[in-house]
Structure formats: C-alpha cells, structure tokens
Amino acid sequence: MAFDRRTFLGTSAATGAAVALAGAAAGPAAAASTAAAAESGSRPPRTYAFTVMGTTDLHGNVFNWDYFTDKEFDDKAHNDVGLAKISTLVNRVRAEKGRCNTLLIDAGDTIQGTQLSYYYAKVDPITARRGPVHPMAQAMNAIGYDAAALGNHEFNYGIPVLRKFQEQCDFPLLGANALDAKSLRPAFPPYSMHRLRTPHGRDVKVAVLGLTNPGIAIWDKANVQGKMTFPGLEEQAAKYVPKLRSMGADVVIVSAHSGSSGTSSYGDQLPYIENAAGLVAEQVPGIDAILVGHAHTEIPEYRVKNKATGKDVVLSEPLKWGQRLTLFDFELTWAKGSWSVAKVSARVLNSNTVEEDPEIVGLLSDEHRKVVEYVNQVIGSSTQAMSSAEGPVKDVPIIDLINHVQAETVKGALSGTEWASLPVLSQASCFSRTAVIPAGKVTLRDAAGLYPFENTLEARVLTGAQLKDYLEYSARYFVQTAADAVVDPAKLTNAEGIPDYNYDTVYGLAYGIDIAQPKGSRITGLSFQGKPVDPQARFVLAVNNYRASGGGAFPHVPQAKQVWANSDEIRNTIISWVKAKGTIDPSQFASVDWRLTRGGVPVF
C-alpha cells in the first residue's frame, strides 16, 4: 500500500519504502550481545535502536548563501546554513542507521527570513493561480521530512500563504495549540504517528506532537485575530500526550516552537509562556524527548526531570538556519509484549563539515538565480557610504535613514487629519550589524538589508512621560559601566541577553544614556527641538507592528492609540522611498541626537 504522508490524525505512517527486516538492528553491539547470550545459554534481550533527526528555525535558507551580501554565507564562527547542507548530513545518518530506522522532523519558522522566501511569498507568490511551489516545500519534500511544527513566523505573510505552503508539503504541519477561534478545534493536525518496523516484537509507534508559540496572537495579530487562537503549550501537551499513549504510542516526541528558558518577551499581555519547552518537559508526564525551537540558541542536549514520573526528558535545540542537525538516539527494549524506552541521548552535527547536496542545489538552482537577479537590481544611488557596524553604541546615519523614511511616511499619511499637528517621532533598532549602503549605486538588496524582518508600520500617540519610560526600558540593553572603568564596545551591549533588535532609538528627540547609572535611571537631557520634553506633551511615534503589538514588552505602546497603520513591509517602504528619491543624501536626514554618556561626558 502506498504511503501518504498527508494521512495523519489517528493513522500510522511507515517511515520509508522497502524496509529491510534483517538489517533493522544489526551492528557490532547486537552481534556481541547475541554471542555473549549464546555462551551463557540465556536468551538475548530484544532491543531496537532508531534516530530522530531535527532542524528548526530554517527561516527560508536553502543554500549556503547570503542574499543581502550577494555571496556565500559566513560568520565569525564560520558556520554554514541551508537545507542543501542539512540534506547531506541527513543522507549520511540514513546511510549509517538505515533509512527505515530514522525520522526527520522540524520545529518551525520555515517560510520567512531570506529574500528567497520573501520572493515566493510576495514577488512571485505561491498563492497566485498556477503559482510556483515554495522552495522550502520543494527542498523539504525532496529531503523527506516526516513532520514539522508551525513556527510563529509561518503566519507573517498571512494565513492564505501558510495554507498554500501546507498544501504543497508532503508532510504534516503540526500545531496542537493552533485552534480555530470560533470552534476551538485544531486548525492544523495536532500530531502525526509513525510506525517503525523492527526485527522482533511488534512495530514501534512514534508519535510527534507539534506545539507552536502563543506569541503569534500578539506578533501577527493583524493576520490571526478572530481567526485563530493559541493557548499555552503545557495545557495542550497535557491534553494530547495521554491520548497519544492510549493510541499505542511507544515513544512520544514533542516538536515545540518554544524556547526552554521559561521566559516571555511580551510581558503579561498573554497568560501563556513564550519559551515553555522546559516547563512542558517538567510538568507533562509521558514525553520522551523535545525538539526545541524559536530561541535561536544551540543546545546539544539538556535534561529536565519530570515532576510526576521522576524520569529525564531529553531536550535539544539545533542552531538556526540549518547550521546544525539534532540527533536523538533512542534505545528500546521489548518485554512483556511491549516496547519501552531504555535510553535517550541527543547531540548535534555541524553543517559546515559537509558539502551541499547536489540534488537539492540542482532542484532549486532556477529559483535561486531569479532571486539573485531580483535583489541585485539598482534602485538608486548614495552620496556616501554608510554602515551599521557601530549602530548599537552610536547614532549612525544608516539607522537615521530607517527612521527618516518611517517618520516621513507617517507624516504624509496623517496630513489633513486631526493628528497632523502633532510632531512625528520614529523608533528603529540596529537589526543587522553588517548592513551597508555603499557610495554610488544602491541595489535592492542594499536597501532590504537594513530591515531583514517583515514588520509593517504603525503610528501611535504617546506622551512625553511615556516616551521617557520607553527610552529607559530600551537603555537596559547597556551593561552598567562605572565612570572610571575602561569602556570596551564589544562588551557594552546585550545586557541580560537583550538582542540588538530589542534596543530602540527614538528619532526626533535628543537625549543622553548614562551607562554609569542603574537601569531605569539612565536617560538624561531629554529634549525636543532644543527644549526639555513636556511630560504631558503628545507625540506620534512611527513604530513597527512587532513593537506595537507588544514584542519586546516595551511599555505603553501596545495600549497607545493607533492613528494609522500600513500593510506594506517597512523594508518595501524603504525600497520605494529610495526609488522615488533617486539619491540618498545623509546630510538631509542624519544627525547625532543620542549619545552614551557618564556623568554628562560622552563615552565616544
């Protein structure tokens, strides 16, 4: 009978064709065990070993290529990225273990992140009549994924794009806590069941439960409000794990697009934890392993003791973009008519140790070429070069460019309205420390590189006092540094693990950030047009939808009055602005309005 990967919910699935019974558990360890048992006259234990491979946060990476720099991807650690590399690792594991003894799953954030994925969502969309097949679906189908959890970024382009991607995948997209808002029934398959053939005893049934991030309700509110709701991971895991066990699952694996730290980046706006994988392991009995996603960290193996059973649950998070492949190695024993898990361990493989799989490269070479041509089209010029390298510690022109475009866009949108008389400010972050606008010709990829996220633009009304709170919160990003201490820019930022994208500057105000002071007491000399900011004065803040929806838990903005919103990505707004102006001239918009200080003395 042909295997249909789309048959899940209450069904079992074989994991490969032509399963070889004799080779399923063959190997030196099995042979030694049999020989020892023969000498002693005892019956050897019946065992079975298999491996579950996992990726997460692929973010549209098929090739080891950076579309923003137009060259092979590289970073300080010389990591490589992409599914073409992952495919080579997967093929090696399957060759070693036997394909029938492996599964391959993913923990979400698949269709957003590169210009490749953007192109097939917006430029040549998969939703068009007779539209293309998404490159990520093509690659993952060819590699042979068995299941994937939904990530929060799956919803960035709207539900129609996600549904089309789902239709194009030969494997289920799982989300036990993605519910239809009206019926509260699962909007996606909650789980998939997979059957592994063994050389003795009955087949091993492996259940994969998919859980996604409740933050979707905030971060993609415009796309999901009134359509879907996202309850907590622990709540839904507690509902489904017993059900999976009652269905005969010998092994239960959770694929969770949720970090392991137990923290949230959106404060108390939702009653659910963003990074709840560790809590799921601790609180829900019956789980053997969790593939962790969302946090973009590398955790080869992390063990959490379940409070009810006292057993260890093994967690692993492979590094983002296809830089690592997790391997969960399971050892099972057969006794009294059932299989039980005797041992679980986890490790990661580094994709920079292998070449790209030529099959995947050949499969998507045309799509890659189209996107390279698209991002390299010239859209304007710049009178001087600009770089974001010092953006986290200095007010640099390239960040001013983002803010200027946002403020100008909002001013134009509010013209002729009751809000037109209010001054317009703008917030932005240093989203990439490698963004560059060259002197001379500027390409689409140069402009797009300033804003790697699919955020859209809004306008909210805040008071002077609220803006000061906002800036104080943002300034937590800096490590407190005594007035007489040596300042090392490399060690000055990302205090408390705060990422660069959660440090905002506000364009249109002038202020100092005294890094010698404790957090909450750092903003000095806050002024507007040369005068101290009146706490009661009202301003319009041009702000991205992630921040306006509560991302980063910045104060006041989510509750502030929205006076305008746009559905186009800020990245496209910047590209359109450059095309319309023709020339980028920093002298028309750049100024040093904020500085790091200590006791009133600038640090730089």
Side-chain angles (χ1 to χ4, degrees):
M1 183 177 68
F3 165 48
D4 181 3
R5 289 178 186 271
R6 291 178 183 160
T7 306
F8 22 88
L9 288 185
T11 66
S12 299
T15 59
V19 176
L21 295 181
S33 175
T34 302
E39 288 182 12
S40 65
S42 63
R43 185 175 181 178
R46 295 182 179 183
T47 63
Y48 176 63
F50 71 97
T51 296
V52 176
M53 298 173 281
T55 55
T56 191
D57 296 278
L58 293 168
H59 283 288
N61 284 280
V62 172
F63 302 99
N64 188 42
W65 191 260
D66 187 336
Y67 292 97
F68 291 137
T69 61
D70 197 31
K71 60 185 179 182
E72 186 174 296
F73 176 88
D74 196 22
D75 61 13
K76 291 180 180 179
H78 301 298
N79 289 302
D80 288 346
V81 301
L83 279 169
K85 292 266 185 173
I86 289 295
S87 183
T88 302
L89 291 174
V90 167
N91 288 339
R92 290 188 177 185
V93 174
R94 285 172 174 163
E96 176 190 350
K97 307 284 186 180
R99 179 160 185 154
C100 56
N101 301 318
T102 65
L103 293 171
L104 175 60
I105 64 176
D106 183 80
D109 275 6
T110 304
I111 60 172
Q112 174 278 337
T114 64
Q115 285 293 287
L116 180 72
S117 55
Y118 178 82
Y119 186 89
Y120 287 98
K122 292 289 190 176
V123 182
D124 185 11
I126 62 174
T127 49
R129 186 180 180 187
R130 297 180 181 175
V133 177
H134 199 288
M136 294 301 287
Q138 291 191 60
M140 294 174 81
N141 289 343
I143 295 169
Y145 273 77
D146 294 287
L150 293 165
N152 54 284
H153 283 287
E154 259 66 85
F155 294 84
N156 284 174
Y157 297 118
I159 292 174
V161 170
L162 174 54
R163 287 300 190 191
K164 188 64 178 180
F165 175 71
Q166 179 188 24
E167 177 186 317
Q168 293 176 342
C169 291
D170 292 341
F171 52 91
L173 298 183
L174 308 177
N177 61 326
L179 309 181
D180 179 87
K182 294 181 180 178
S183 68
L184 297 183
R185 293 177 62 83
F188 293 85
Y191 58 85
S192 58
M193 192 76 78
H194 310 267
R195 193 182 291 272
L196 302 178
R197 190 70 57 83
T198 72
H200 39 238
R202 62 171 170 76
D203 295 350
V204 169
K205 293 177 71 175
V206 181
V208 179
L209 177 66
L211 296 170
T212 192
N213 205 290
I216 295 166
I218 287 178
W219 304 320
D220 270 300
K221 181 179 180 180
N223 291 328
V224 302
Q225 188 173 34
K227 299 174 183 177
M228 293 186 191
T229 186
F230 303 87
L233 283 82
E234 306 109 294
E235 171 189 323
Q236 294 303 104
K239 174 182 176 180
Y240 279 102
V241 172
K243 179 178 181 178
L244 294 171
R245 291 294 184 182
S246 70
M247 292 169 60
D250 302 295
V251 179
V252 173
I253 300 168
V254 173
S255 183
H257 193 75
S258 180
S260 61
S261 65
T263 61
S264 288
S265 66
Y266 49 76
D268 57 0
Q269 295 172 69
L270 282 180
Y272 309 116
I273 299 297
E274 175 185 352
N275 296 303
L279 296 175
V280 170
E282 181 183 75
Q283 297 177 13
V284 181
I287 298 170
D288 296 296
I290 300 180
L291 177 65
V292 178
H294 184 61
H296 288 202
T297 57
E298 181 177 344
I299 305 174
E301 182 184 90
Y302 175 46
R303 292 177 178 269
V304 175
K305 194 171 294 295
N306 184 266
K307 286 184 175 180
T309 65
K311 295 181 179 179
D312 281 353
V313 181
V314 178
L315 287 71
S316 180
E317 181 175 4
L319 200 57
K320 63 186 185 297
W321 305 347
Q323 294 178 26
R324 303 289 187 274
L325 175 71
T326 278
L327 303 187
F328 289 105
D329 291 314
F330 288 84
E331 294 181 15
L332 277 64
T333 57
W334 174 261
K336 297 180 180 179
S338 66
W339 289 105
S340 60
V341 176
K343 183 180 178 182
V344 186
S345 61
R347 55 196 167 103
V348 296
L349 302 181
N350 194 327
S351 64
N352 72 4
T353 62
V354 297
E355 298 299 316
E356 293 184 320
D357 183 348
E359 179 185 347
I360 304 303
V361 172
L363 178 68
L364 292 163
S365 59
D366 286 346
E367 287 83 348
H368 176 66
R369 175 185 51 79
K370 287 180 183 179
V371 175
V372 169
E373 290 176 356
Y374 164 74
V375 299
N376 279 289
Q377 61 180 291
V378 175
I379 60 172
S381 63
S382 179
T383 61
Q384 67 183 66
M386 294 181 284
S387 167
S388 64
E390 295 184 309
V393 296
K394 293 182 181 179
D395 188 347
V396 294
I398 201 168
I399 308 299
D400 287 345
L401 173 59
I402 298 172
N403 273 318
H404 179 72
V405 172
Q406 292 182 163
E408 191 173 275
T409 301
V410 168
K411 285 178 184 176
L414 296 181
S415 178
T417 72
E418 62 180 300
W419 312 103
S421 62
L422 294 183
V424 177
L425 312 175
S426 176
Q427 64 79 221
S429 305
C430 182
F431 297 111
S432 168
R433 298 193 184 200
T434 59
V436 173
I437 295 292
K441 293 180 179 178
V442 175
T443 64
L444 185 147
R445 66 177 171 83
D446 295 326
L450 301 183
Y451 218 107
F453 301 105
E454 272 69 36
N455 295 340
T456 57
L457 190 60
E458 297 189 15
R460 302 275 179 133
V461 178
L462 282 83
T463 66
Q466 290 173 329
L467 285 164
K468 187 173 187 298
D469 289 346
Y470 187 100
L471 290 170
E472 287 286 8
Y473 182 86
S474 184
R476 300 175 310 129
Y477 170 77
F478 296 103
V479 175
Q480 187 173 1
T481 308
D484 57 351
V486 175
V487 175
D488 180 356
K491 299 179 180 179
L492 189 57
T493 62
N494 308 103
E496 302 176 6
I498 297 170
D500 292 347
Y501 63 76
N502 272 344
Y503 167 59
D504 288 359
T505 61
V506 174
Y507 179 80
L509 298 177
Y511 56 95
I513 302 173
D514 192 333
I515 59 174
Q517 298 301 315
K519 61 183 181 181
S521 303
R522 293 179 172 175
I523 302 302
T524 62
L526 184 62
S527 64
F528 173 70
Q529 295 184 345
K531 297 180 180 179
V533 169
D534 179 351
Q536 302 303 316
R538 295 194 302 168
F539 299 85
V540 173
L541 181 68
V543 59
N544 69 58
N545 69 302
Y546 173 79
R547 191 69 78 235
S549 296
F554 277 62
H556 306 305
V557 177
Q559 298 80 27
K561 183 175 181 59
Q562 181 194 82
V563 294
W564 178 81
N566 188 13
S567 61
D568 201 13
E569 290 92 353
I570 293 170
R571 176 167 56 206
N572 281 345
T573 302
I574 296 171
I575 291 168
S576 297
W577 185 92
V578 174
K579 285 181 177 179
K581 296 291 183 182
T583 301
I584 302 171
D585 183 357
S587 67
Q588 296 181 1
F589 57 80
S591 60
V592 178
D593 294 321
W594 66 269
R595 289 181 173 86
L596 299 184
T597 66
R598 288 186 296 185
V601 179
V603 173
F604 302 112

